[in-house]
Amino acid sequence: MASSAKKLKDQVGLTGNSAVALAMKQINPDVCPAYPITPSTAVIETFSDYFANGEVDTEFITVESEHSAMSACVGASAAGARVMTATSSQGLALMWEVLYIASGMRFPIVMATVNRALSSPINIHCDHSDSMGARDSGWIQIYSETVQEAYDNMFQAIRIAEDKRVLTPAMVCMDGFITSHAIENLTLATDAEVKGFVGDYTPEHSLLDTDNPVTMGAMTMPDSYMNFKFEQSNAIAGAKEVVVEIGKEYGKLTGREYGLLDCYNLEDADVAIVVLSSAAGTTKAAVDELRKEGKKVGVLRPRLYRPFPHQEIAEALKGIGAVCVLDRADSMSGFGGPLFTDIRSALYGIENAPLVMGRIFGLGGRDFNVANAKEVFEETFKALEAGKIEKTTGYITI
Amino acid sequence: MEGYTEVRWHGRAQQGVVTAAKLLGETALFEGKFVQAFPEFGPERMGAPVKAFNRISDDPIKIHCQVTNPRIVLIVDPTLIGITLAGGMETSSGVSDGATDGAVFIVNTSDPVAEVRKALDVSDDKKVYTVDASTIAMDTLGRHIPNTPMLGALAKVTGIVDFESLLKNFKDNYGKKFGEKVTAANVSAMERGFKEVGE
């Protein structure tokens, strides 16, 4: 007890939203255009307090919609500013066309995405339908398991997005309510540490730099459009290495190192679950219980989802007998969720590929508990024993 | 869950249930524990049933699901006892659902414990305590926000957090926000909850 008290002496208790807002304050971006929406509202509310109290130098722009919020992000980024915002659900959906403009113009905007279900029916609770819909928009996507990780990911996202090899916008995702409204222990970085880590932003080009005039957002014809996309595609694919580099550097600074994947008891596992964000923690607790019974189970949690670390995932899952991929979103394709199809595709053609099945869980905040995770492991074991998958895709807890 | 103390709060919107869970979590963290404090929001309207949860542990907490098997249940609004809303919604489950063997119930009521136990319909291994937190809140705060007396009662009955830590956390972190008068009223509410809870 005494030692744990000592260890935790410097910890604070914050919700995910408060922690992300604090990270934004410490980053002190040049511009923050925002339109609040549940469950990310408190990020913007708290940040607007910092602004009102003069604790940030940010130009805080209240706009009339999320479409305008992201448009203002694009404009500010074109002017050469470091830009941040936050949104959820319908808000992200309304940003749609502008997300592609931000990534196509290679603006390193960083956005906190607090995951929430999409209408209809209307629901304010967590699932990943919102950010999964943006998975092909050319934004880097990092998914956070805990409050600590959501906080830490914000700083790393700035560095990753602004890296000259990347120059691509990034969203840091955390689970609505489950993480955004939960108070958890976390260790903060000092303002000086953050300042040193994120550094100053020097844009490659700025519309305000009249000595070096450039054209941005110009019309392109078939002779050039595809070349832009080719370069963008290479840049985001290359972001993977930068994510690893920055994760290591952050580890040196804070003692908390981050990689592409979070592998939990995978090395000798017969069966594994692949799942994003907070549900991975719950699944790890199920692993702890099943390991005590001698069952060789593990969890793979992709931290980086876009770009998709397909080789690393294939390497991590190679030799495991059977895998169940849990998706907190449905593709409405009749063939499971987006993570499932990506994982299955990453495993196709490799030697010793596991059997792969996919299950949809947790839509609109449906609880996913340790018992649910154990049931999934049990079903996956059955597939392994039978040597085949009875039902490739489906729903659980329905 | 093994290794965790899990707490479930039942109340209605505007009774300070979410804040109570927050204060409990912060106090336990202040005492060197790993904590979680999180609400379950339903429809956002005054009087709607609200649940909030805590996990308190000596080890890092991995799980991120609802508390379904609480060892401690705090019922801030006794009108929620015995109510099961239509449709079998998760938000409307009974206040005693899933409570562990030997679970502690602390109920805000002026009714005798025997009647409350009967209304709760729980097995003999469960411990039931009552405190008239509404009256305490009206006496001290002048408003029906019975959350802080419930925290005082919780510290007394379970010892899950030290009473002095509870007061210190409140004074240190909320003294400035609430001002001297409201802070003193809440401290007095916690003290009365601590003294007046009975079984």
Side-chain angles (χ1 to χ4, degrees), chain B residues 54-178:
Chain B
N54 287 107
R55 287 192 180 93
I56 298 173
S57 168
D58 288 329
D59 301 306
I61 300 167
K62 294 191 187 108
I63 59 176
H64 292 98
C65 47
Q66 292 192 357
V67 169
T68 45
N69 302 107
R71 207 174 87 196
I72 300 167
V73 180
L74 292 113
I75 301 165
V76 184
D77 192 317
T79 64
L80 292 165
I81 298 173
I83 294 180
T84 311
L85 299 182
M89 301 290 286
E90 284 179 56
T91 46
S92 57
S93 57
V95 292
S96 55
D97 284 1
T100 60
D101 291 345
V104 171
F105 287 75
I106 304 173
V107 184
N108 168 22
T109 180
S110 57
D111 291 345
V113 172
E115 275 182 37
V116 176
R117 175 177 280 282
K118 202 174 154 197
L120 282 170
D121 193 21
V122 290
S123 53
D124 290 345
D125 59 291
K126 311 284 194 288
K127 298 181 191 76
V128 178
Y129 299 83
T130 60
V131 59
D132 191 357
S134 294
T135 298
I136 296 173
M138 291 309 289
D139 288 351
T140 53
L141 301 161
R143 292 176 68 192
H144 188 239
I145 308 178
N147 58 355
T148 41
M150 293 296 284
L151 280 166
L154 173 71
K156 171 77 168 284
V157 166
T158 66
I160 189 169
V161 287
D162 181 63
F163 184 63
E164 293 305 320
S165 308
L166 193 62
L167 296 184
K168 184 170 171 12
N169 173 65
F170 191 79
K171 286 180 199 161
D172 288 357
N173 292 325
Y174 297 89
K176 205 171 141 196
K177 183 180 168 193
F178 289 142

Side-chain angles (χ1 to χ4, degrees), chain A residues 1 4-5 7-8 11-13 38 124-125 145-146 177-178 181-185 264 278 281-282 284-285 288-289 292 366-370, chain B residues 1-2 4 21-23 25-26 29 31-42 44 57-58 60-68 90:
Chain A
M1 182 57 225
S4 78
K7 186 176 63 193
L8 298 175
Q11 290 211 313
V12 296
T38 302
I124 59 168
H125 291 281
E145 180 178 323
T146 60
F177 290 103
I178 300 167
H181 284 62
I183 293 172
E184 293 180 359
N185 299 52
Y264 191 76
S278 69
T282 307
K284 287 173 187 174
D288 293 345
E289 290 186 13
K292 278 184 200 156
R366 176 70 55 94
D367 197 29
F368 172 76
N369 60 32
V370 176
Chain B
M1 282 301 300
E2 194 186 336
Y4 304 140
K22 185 178 177 198
L23 290 169
E26 285 172 351
L29 187 141
E31 292 185 336
K33 305 278 182 147
F34 289 93
V35 303
Q36 287 178 345
F38 55 105
E40 180 201 67
F41 286 109
E44 293 177 30
S57 168
D58 288 329
I61 300 167
K62 294 191 187 108
I63 59 176
H64 292 98
C65 47
Q66 292 192 357
V67 169
T68 45
E90 284 179 56

Side-chain angles (χ1 to χ4, degrees), chain A residues 33-38 40-41 44 62-74 85-99 111 116:
Chain A
Y35 190 85
I37 179 169
T38 302
S40 59
T41 307
I44 297 308
T62 54
V63 288
E64 73 281 12
S65 75
E66 287 86 354
H67 188 279
S68 300
M70 187 46 65
S71 298
C73 285
V74 165
T85 189
T87 197
S88 295
S89 185
Q90 307 302 119
L92 184 60
L94 190 54
M95 287 180 178
W96 216 249
E97 61 167 338
V98 197
L99 292 177
M111 174 159 66
R116 166 187 155 183

Side-chain angles (χ1 to χ4, degrees), chain A residues 283-303:
Chain A
T283 310
K284 287 173 187 174
V287 167
D288 293 345
E289 290 186 13
L290 291 172
R291 283 267 167 183
K292 278 184 200 156
E293 298 169 18
K295 292 187 175 133
K296 291 183 177 173
V297 291
V299 185
L300 173 68
R301 179 180 67 91
R303 171 178 173 252

Side-chain angles (χ1 to χ4, degrees), chain A residues 312-374:
Chain A
E312 292 79 3
I313 286 171
E315 191 58 38
L317 295 178
K318 195 173 67 183
I320 291 175
V323 169
C324 183
V325 182
L326 291 177
D327 268 283
R328 204 161 201 148
D330 193 341
S331 292
M332 297 297 167
S333 65
F335 191 51
L339 187 61
F340 161 73
T341 43
D342 278 344
I343 296 278
R344 201 161 183 263
S345 166
L347 294 170
Y348 185 80
I350 69 159
E351 273 180 50
N352 289 324
L355 297 166
V356 188
M357 55 200 232
R359 293 291 180 268
I360 310 283
F361 79 104
L363 300 189
R366 176 70 55 94
D367 197 29
F368 172 76
N369 60 32
V370 176
N372 302 141
K374 284 164 94 170

Side-chain angles (χ1 to χ4, degrees), chain A residues 100-398:
Chain A
Y100 284 77
I101 292 168
S103 63
M105 292 180 77
R106 310 287 300 278
F107 291 142
I109 299 159
V110 171
M111 174 159 66
T113 301
V114 181
N115 286 115
R116 166 187 155 183
L118 287 174
S119 292
S120 177
I122 189 167
N123 176 294
I124 59 168
H125 291 281
C126 176
D127 71 35
H128 297 165
S129 305
D130 49 2
S131 60
M132 281 300 161
R135 71 187 191 274
D136 297 340
S137 66
W139 281 60
I140 291 163
Q141 290 192 336
I142 300 170
Y143 286 79
S144 319
E145 180 178 323
T146 60
V147 172
Q148 177 79 66
E149 199 179 329
Y151 173 79
D152 290 337
N153 282 341
M154 294 297 284
F155 308 122
Q156 296 171 70
I158 292 277
R159 286 284 306 278
I160 295 159
E162 291 175 2
D163 191 286
K164 302 295 180 211
R165 294 163 289 177
V166 179
L167 287 177
T168 292
M171 57 179 85
V172 173
C173 303
M174 68 168 149
D175 283 346
F177 290 103
I178 300 167
T179 311
S180 69
H181 284 62
I183 293 172
E184 293 180 359
N185 299 52
L186 79 158
T187 304
L188 301 177
T190 64
D191 290 353
E193 281 170 344
V194 171
K195 202 161 181 274
F197 183 76
V198 300
D200 290 324
Y201 173 54
T202 315
E204 284 288 274
H205 308 285
S206 161
L207 282 182
L208 299 182
D209 179 7
T210 48
D211 292 335
N212 299 289
V214 288
T215 296
M216 290 189 188
M219 168 81 174
T220 55
M221 297 303 282
D223 67 338
S224 53
Y225 179 89
M226 195 162 165
N227 302 59
F228 275 99
K229 288 294 148 189
F230 177 66
E231 283 185 23
Q232 188 188 342
S233 181
N234 287 338
I236 195 166
K240 204 169 70 175
E241 281 138 49
V242 178
V243 171
V244 173
E245 259 177 54
I246 303 286
K248 279 195 180 134
E249 193 185 322
Y250 192 76
K252 276 187 197 137
L253 178 71
T254 62
R256 297 183 298 279
E257 186 178 320
Y258 291 91
L260 303 173
L261 312 173
D262 172 14
C263 300
Y264 191 76
N265 284 319
L266 271 188
E267 303 78 23
D268 64 340
D270 295 324
V271 154
I273 286 178
V274 181
V275 65
L276 297 170
S277 299
S278 69
T282 307
T283 310
K284 287 173 187 174
V287 167
D288 293 345
E289 290 186 13
L290 291 172
R291 283 267 167 183
K292 278 184 200 156
E293 298 169 18
K295 292 187 175 133
K296 291 183 177 173
V297 291
V299 185
L300 173 68
R301 179 180 67 91
R303 171 178 173 252
L304 183 71
Y305 179 60
R306 283 293 181 269
F308 189 60
H310 62 97
Q311 287 153 322
E312 292 79 3
I313 286 171
E315 191 58 38
L317 295 178
K318 195 173 67 183
I320 291 175
V323 169
C324 183
V325 182
L326 291 177
D327 268 283
R328 204 161 201 148
D330 193 341
S331 292
M332 297 297 167
S333 65
F335 191 51
L339 187 61
F340 161 73
T341 43
D342 278 344
I343 296 278
R344 201 161 183 263
S345 166
L347 294 170
Y348 185 80
I350 69 159
E351 273 180 50
N352 289 324
L355 297 166
V356 188
M357 55 200 232
R359 293 291 180 268
I360 310 283
F361 79 104
L363 300 189
R366 176 70 55 94
D367 197 29
F368 172 76
N369 60 32
V370 176
N372 302 141
K374 284 164 94 170
E375 282 161 24
V376 172
F377 276 124
E378 199 176 309
E379 198 186 346
T380 316
F381 263 117
K382 273 187 195 153
L384 179 64
E385 282 152 22
K388 65 179 169 87
I389 307 272
E390 281 295 324
K391 201 169 99 182
T392 308
T393 61
Y395 274 59
I396 62 163
T397 64
I398 197 76

